[in-house]
Amino acid sequence: MELRPYSLLVAMILAVGGMMAASAHTIPTDKVDAQKIFYGNAEAFEAPARVNYQKVVKATPEYSSIKKKKIVSGSAKYWILISKASDRAQRLIKEVGEETSHDLIVADGYLDTMEPAIEADDVTELVLEKLK
């Protein structure tokens, strides 16, 4: 059977497409930690990012209020404000995910624990900019 030039071209495109699909990353099911994944799908991603979550939480107005008013750690008021700070941080991280090409945003250091480690851009400053 003779391959026509366009058949060869189609075969090459399919081969390249298959290689590109193979470059997508995945986090093995037994390594998925939902508390460290802030945005995206751990089963298939191509453009991962990482964020220093604690730095973002500590930059929120709610956390600043805890420090400014010297609210006692563990008190009801403390937990309410920490919860609000956490909610704000997660909302901002999601916004960065939706506004950038990153299809997964995780806690700083999380992807380093994978075998092999997965490179990820740091989006902490982008998230902090949204607080201003």
PDB file of all heavy atoms in Angstrom, residues 38-40 90-105 130:
ATOM      1  N   PHE A  38      -5.184  23.915  45.242  1.00  0.00           N
ATOM      2  CA  PHE A  38      -6.080  25.057  45.361  1.00  0.00           C
ATOM      3  C   PHE A  38      -6.885  25.318  44.098  1.00  0.00           C
ATOM      4  O   PHE A  38      -7.932  25.957  44.154  1.00  0.00           O
ATOM      5  CB  PHE A  38      -5.288  26.313  45.721  1.00  0.00           C
ATOM      6  CG  PHE A  38      -4.497  26.167  46.984  1.00  0.00           C
ATOM      7  CD1 PHE A  38      -3.114  26.133  46.956  1.00  0.00           C
ATOM      8  CD2 PHE A  38      -5.127  26.033  48.209  1.00  0.00           C
ATOM      9  CE1 PHE A  38      -2.374  25.987  48.120  1.00  0.00           C
ATOM     10  CE2 PHE A  38      -4.400  25.882  49.378  1.00  0.00           C
ATOM     11  CZ  PHE A  38      -3.025  25.855  49.333  1.00  0.00           C
ATOM     12  N   TYR A  39      -6.385  24.846  42.962  1.00  0.00           N
ATOM     13  CA  TYR A  39      -7.063  25.121  41.693  1.00  0.00           C
ATOM     14  C   TYR A  39      -6.652  24.062  40.678  1.00  0.00           C
ATOM     15  O   TYR A  39      -5.483  23.692  40.602  1.00  0.00           O
ATOM     16  CB  TYR A  39      -6.664  26.515  41.177  1.00  0.00           C
ATOM     17  CG  TYR A  39      -7.214  26.838  39.816  1.00  0.00           C
ATOM     18  CD1 TYR A  39      -8.523  27.273  39.667  1.00  0.00           C
ATOM     19  CD2 TYR A  39      -6.427  26.704  38.685  1.00  0.00           C
ATOM     20  CE1 TYR A  39      -9.037  27.563  38.411  1.00  0.00           C
ATOM     21  CE2 TYR A  39      -6.933  26.998  37.428  1.00  0.00           C
ATOM     22  CZ  TYR A  39      -8.242  27.427  37.297  1.00  0.00           C
ATOM     23  OH  TYR A  39      -8.749  27.709  36.058  1.00  0.00           O
ATOM     24  N   GLY A  40      -7.607  23.574  39.925  1.00  0.00           N
ATOM     25  CA  GLY A  40      -7.316  22.664  38.826  1.00  0.00           C
ATOM     26  C   GLY A  40      -7.563  21.210  39.147  1.00  0.00           C
ATOM     27  O   GLY A  40      -8.091  20.860  40.203  1.00  0.00           O
ATOM     28  N   GLN A  90      -7.977  31.477  49.201  1.00  0.00           N
ATOM     29  CA  GLN A  90      -8.386  30.471  48.220  1.00  0.00           C
ATOM     30  C   GLN A  90      -9.126  31.101  47.043  1.00  0.00           C
ATOM     31  O   GLN A  90      -8.928  30.709  45.896  1.00  0.00           O
ATOM     32  CB  GLN A  90      -9.224  29.392  48.897  1.00  0.00           C
ATOM     33  CG  GLN A  90      -8.386  28.526  49.816  1.00  0.00           C
ATOM     34  CD  GLN A  90      -9.195  27.453  50.509  1.00  0.00           C
ATOM     35  OE1 GLN A  90     -10.268  27.087  50.064  1.00  0.00           O
ATOM     36  NE2 GLN A  90      -8.660  26.944  51.609  1.00  0.00           N
ATOM     37  N   ARG A  91      -9.954  32.098  47.320  1.00  0.00           N
ATOM     38  CA  ARG A  91     -10.680  32.785  46.250  1.00  0.00           C
ATOM     39  C   ARG A  91      -9.704  33.507  45.317  1.00  0.00           C
ATOM     40  O   ARG A  91      -9.832  33.450  44.091  1.00  0.00           O
ATOM     41  CB  ARG A  91     -11.689  33.759  46.849  1.00  0.00           C
ATOM     42  CG  ARG A  91     -12.607  34.391  45.835  1.00  0.00           C
ATOM     43  CD  ARG A  91     -13.686  35.266  46.471  1.00  0.00           C
ATOM     44  NE  ARG A  91     -13.140  36.398  47.219  1.00  0.00           N
ATOM     45  CZ  ARG A  91     -13.126  36.495  48.536  1.00  0.00           C
ATOM     46  NH1 ARG A  91     -13.607  35.531  49.295  1.00  0.00           N
ATOM     47  NH2 ARG A  91     -12.631  37.562  49.131  1.00  0.00           N
ATOM     48  N   LEU A  92      -8.709  34.163  45.889  1.00  0.00           N
ATOM     49  CA  LEU A  92      -7.721  34.886  45.085  1.00  0.00           C
ATOM     50  C   LEU A  92      -6.870  33.927  44.249  1.00  0.00           C
ATOM     51  O   LEU A  92      -6.550  34.215  43.094  1.00  0.00           O
ATOM     52  CB  LEU A  92      -6.832  35.748  45.986  1.00  0.00           C
ATOM     53  CG  LEU A  92      -7.543  36.888  46.702  1.00  0.00           C
ATOM     54  CD1 LEU A  92      -6.604  37.546  47.709  1.00  0.00           C
ATOM     55  CD2 LEU A  92      -8.082  37.903  45.712  1.00  0.00           C
ATOM     56  N   ILE A  93      -6.505  32.794  44.825  1.00  0.00           N
ATOM     57  CA  ILE A  93      -5.725  31.792  44.088  1.00  0.00           C
ATOM     58  C   ILE A  93      -6.539  31.276  42.906  1.00  0.00           C
ATOM     59  O   ILE A  93      -6.025  31.136  41.794  1.00  0.00           O
ATOM     60  CB  ILE A  93      -5.288  30.646  45.020  1.00  0.00           C
ATOM     61  CG1 ILE A  93      -4.270  31.161  46.044  1.00  0.00           C
ATOM     62  CG2 ILE A  93      -4.715  29.477  44.212  1.00  0.00           C
ATOM     63  CD1 ILE A  93      -4.005  30.211  47.203  1.00  0.00           C
ATOM     64  N   LYS A  94      -7.807  31.021  43.135  1.00  0.00           N
ATOM     65  CA  LYS A  94      -8.682  30.554  42.045  1.00  0.00           C
ATOM     66  C   LYS A  94      -8.758  31.605  40.941  1.00  0.00           C
ATOM     67  O   LYS A  94      -8.707  31.279  39.758  1.00  0.00           O
ATOM     68  CB  LYS A  94     -10.075  30.243  42.588  1.00  0.00           C
ATOM     69  CG  LYS A  94     -11.027  29.743  41.532  1.00  0.00           C
ATOM     70  CD  LYS A  94     -12.410  29.454  42.092  1.00  0.00           C
ATOM     71  CE  LYS A  94     -13.330  29.022  40.974  1.00  0.00           C
ATOM     72  NZ  LYS A  94     -14.717  28.992  41.374  1.00  0.00           N
ATOM     73  N   GLU A  95      -8.883  32.873  41.317  1.00  0.00           N
ATOM     74  CA  GLU A  95      -8.935  33.954  40.328  1.00  0.00           C
ATOM     75  C   GLU A  95      -7.659  33.973  39.480  1.00  0.00           C
ATOM     76  O   GLU A  95      -7.733  34.146  38.261  1.00  0.00           O
ATOM     77  CB  GLU A  95      -9.131  35.307  41.010  1.00  0.00           C
ATOM     78  CG  GLU A  95     -10.525  35.518  41.544  1.00  0.00           C
ATOM     79  CD  GLU A  95     -10.678  36.839  42.296  1.00  0.00           C
ATOM     80  OE1 GLU A  95      -9.825  37.747  42.138  1.00  0.00           O
ATOM     81  OE2 GLU A  95     -11.659  36.971  43.054  1.00  0.00           O
ATOM     82  N   VAL A  96      -6.512  33.806  40.118  1.00  0.00           N
ATOM     83  CA  VAL A  96      -5.250  33.778  39.368  1.00  0.00           C
ATOM     84  C   VAL A  96      -5.249  32.597  38.402  1.00  0.00           C
ATOM     85  O   VAL A  96      -4.830  32.726  37.256  1.00  0.00           O
ATOM     86  CB  VAL A  96      -4.027  33.738  40.322  1.00  0.00           C
ATOM     87  CG1 VAL A  96      -2.751  33.390  39.574  1.00  0.00           C
ATOM     88  CG2 VAL A  96      -3.882  35.071  41.041  1.00  0.00           C
ATOM     89  N   GLY A  97      -5.741  31.457  38.851  1.00  0.00           N
ATOM     90  CA  GLY A  97      -5.823  30.296  37.961  1.00  0.00           C
ATOM     91  C   GLY A  97      -6.701  30.566  36.757  1.00  0.00           C
ATOM     92  O   GLY A  97      -6.361  30.198  35.633  1.00  0.00           O
ATOM     93  N   GLU A  98      -7.815  31.228  36.984  1.00  0.00           N
ATOM     94  CA  GLU A  98      -8.746  31.519  35.892  1.00  0.00           C
ATOM     95  C   GLU A  98      -8.215  32.595  34.944  1.00  0.00           C
ATOM     96  O   GLU A  98      -8.574  32.612  33.772  1.00  0.00           O
ATOM     97  CB  GLU A  98     -10.106  31.944  36.460  1.00  0.00           C
ATOM     98  CG  GLU A  98     -10.826  30.805  37.153  1.00  0.00           C
ATOM     99  CD  GLU A  98     -12.053  31.234  37.927  1.00  0.00           C
ATOM    100  OE1 GLU A  98     -12.242  32.458  38.170  1.00  0.00           O
ATOM    101  OE2 GLU A  98     -12.848  30.339  38.290  1.00  0.00           O
ATOM    102  N   GLU A  99      -7.359  33.474  35.439  1.00  0.00           N
ATOM    103  CA  GLU A  99      -6.862  34.594  34.639  1.00  0.00           C
ATOM    104  C   GLU A  99      -5.523  34.301  33.956  1.00  0.00           C
ATOM    105  O   GLU A  99      -5.059  35.107  33.150  1.00  0.00           O
ATOM    106  CB  GLU A  99      -6.726  35.837  35.516  1.00  0.00           C
ATOM    107  CG  GLU A  99      -8.051  36.345  36.036  1.00  0.00           C
ATOM    108  CD  GLU A  99      -7.909  37.413  37.099  1.00  0.00           C
ATOM    109  OE1 GLU A  99      -6.760  37.801  37.430  1.00  0.00           O
ATOM    110  OE2 GLU A  99      -8.955  37.861  37.618  1.00  0.00           O
ATOM    111  N   THR A 100      -4.892  33.194  34.294  1.00  0.00           N
ATOM    112  CA  THR A 100      -3.599  32.852  33.699  1.00  0.00           C
ATOM    113  C   THR A 100      -3.716  31.538  32.940  1.00  0.00           C
ATOM    114  O   THR A 100      -4.777  30.922  32.908  1.00  0.00           O
ATOM    115  CB  THR A 100      -2.505  32.710  34.783  1.00  0.00           C
ATOM    116  OG1 THR A 100      -2.823  31.593  35.628  1.00  0.00           O
ATOM    117  CG2 THR A 100      -2.371  33.969  35.627  1.00  0.00           C
ATOM    118  N   SER A 101      -2.613  31.109  32.364  1.00  0.00           N
ATOM    119  CA  SER A 101      -2.597  29.841  31.622  1.00  0.00           C
ATOM    120  C   SER A 101      -2.350  28.644  32.536  1.00  0.00           C
ATOM    121  O   SER A 101      -2.292  27.512  32.067  1.00  0.00           O
ATOM    122  CB  SER A 101      -1.526  29.898  30.531  1.00  0.00           C
ATOM    123  OG  SER A 101      -0.247  30.053  31.128  1.00  0.00           O
ATOM    124  N   HIS A 102      -2.222  28.878  33.829  1.00  0.00           N
ATOM    125  CA  HIS A 102      -1.963  27.780  34.758  1.00  0.00           C
ATOM    126  C   HIS A 102      -3.226  26.961  34.976  1.00  0.00           C
ATOM    127  O   HIS A 102      -4.276  27.500  35.295  1.00  0.00           O
ATOM    128  CB  HIS A 102      -1.425  28.306  36.084  1.00  0.00           C
ATOM    129  CG  HIS A 102      -0.132  29.011  35.931  1.00  0.00           C
ATOM    130  ND1 HIS A 102       1.028  28.356  35.611  1.00  0.00           N
ATOM    131  CD2 HIS A 102       0.185  30.319  36.011  1.00  0.00           C
ATOM    132  CE1 HIS A 102       2.005  29.230  35.510  1.00  0.00           C
ATOM    133  NE2 HIS A 102       1.514  30.434  35.743  1.00  0.00           N
ATOM    134  N   ASP A 103      -3.101  25.656  34.778  1.00  0.00           N
ATOM    135  CA  ASP A 103      -4.273  24.784  34.931  1.00  0.00           C
ATOM    136  C   ASP A 103      -4.246  23.992  36.234  1.00  0.00           C
ATOM    137  O   ASP A 103      -5.130  23.179  36.488  1.00  0.00           O
ATOM    138  CB  ASP A 103      -4.433  23.861  33.724  1.00  0.00           C
ATOM    139  CG  ASP A 103      -3.190  23.038  33.422  1.00  0.00           C
ATOM    140  OD1 ASP A 103      -2.166  23.202  34.120  1.00  0.00           O
ATOM    141  OD2 ASP A 103      -3.237  22.236  32.480  1.00  0.00           O
ATOM    142  N   LEU A 104      -3.236  24.241  37.073  1.00  0.00           N
ATOM    143  CA  LEU A 104      -3.149  23.629  38.399  1.00  0.00           C
ATOM    144  C   LEU A 104      -2.342  24.563  39.288  1.00  0.00           C
ATOM    145  O   LEU A 104      -1.268  25.020  38.890  1.00  0.00           O
ATOM    146  CB  LEU A 104      -2.452  22.260  38.333  1.00  0.00           C
ATOM    147  CG  LEU A 104      -2.353  21.521  39.659  1.00  0.00           C
ATOM    148  CD1 LEU A 104      -3.700  20.913  40.038  1.00  0.00           C
ATOM    149  CD2 LEU A 104      -1.300  20.426  39.605  1.00  0.00           C
ATOM    150  N   ILE A 105      -2.867  24.866  40.471  1.00  0.00           N
ATOM    151  CA  ILE A 105      -2.124  25.659  41.454  1.00  0.00           C
ATOM    152  C   ILE A 105      -2.152  24.891  42.769  1.00  0.00           C
ATOM    153  O   ILE A 105      -3.217  24.532  43.267  1.00  0.00           O
ATOM    154  CB  ILE A 105      -2.700  27.067  41.644  1.00  0.00           C
ATOM    155  CG1 ILE A 105      -2.716  27.824  40.306  1.00  0.00           C
ATOM    156  CG2 ILE A 105      -1.881  27.837  42.689  1.00  0.00           C
ATOM    157  CD1 ILE A 105      -3.330  29.214  40.375  1.00  0.00           C
ATOM    158  N   LYS A 130      -3.350  40.836  43.896  1.00  0.00           N
ATOM    159  CA  LYS A 130      -4.804  40.904  43.909  1.00  0.00           C
ATOM    160  C   LYS A 130      -5.330  41.430  45.248  1.00  0.00           C
ATOM    161  O   LYS A 130      -6.467  41.892  45.327  1.00  0.00           O
ATOM    162  CB  LYS A 130      -5.421  39.536  43.602  1.00  0.00           C
ATOM    163  CG  LYS A 130      -5.177  39.093  42.185  1.00  0.00           C
ATOM    164  CD  LYS A 130      -5.997  37.881  41.876  1.00  0.00           C
ATOM    165  CE  LYS A 130      -6.742  37.996  40.600  1.00  0.00           C
ATOM    166  NZ  LYS A 130      -7.411  39.187  40.226  1.00  0.00           N
TER     167      LYS A 130
END
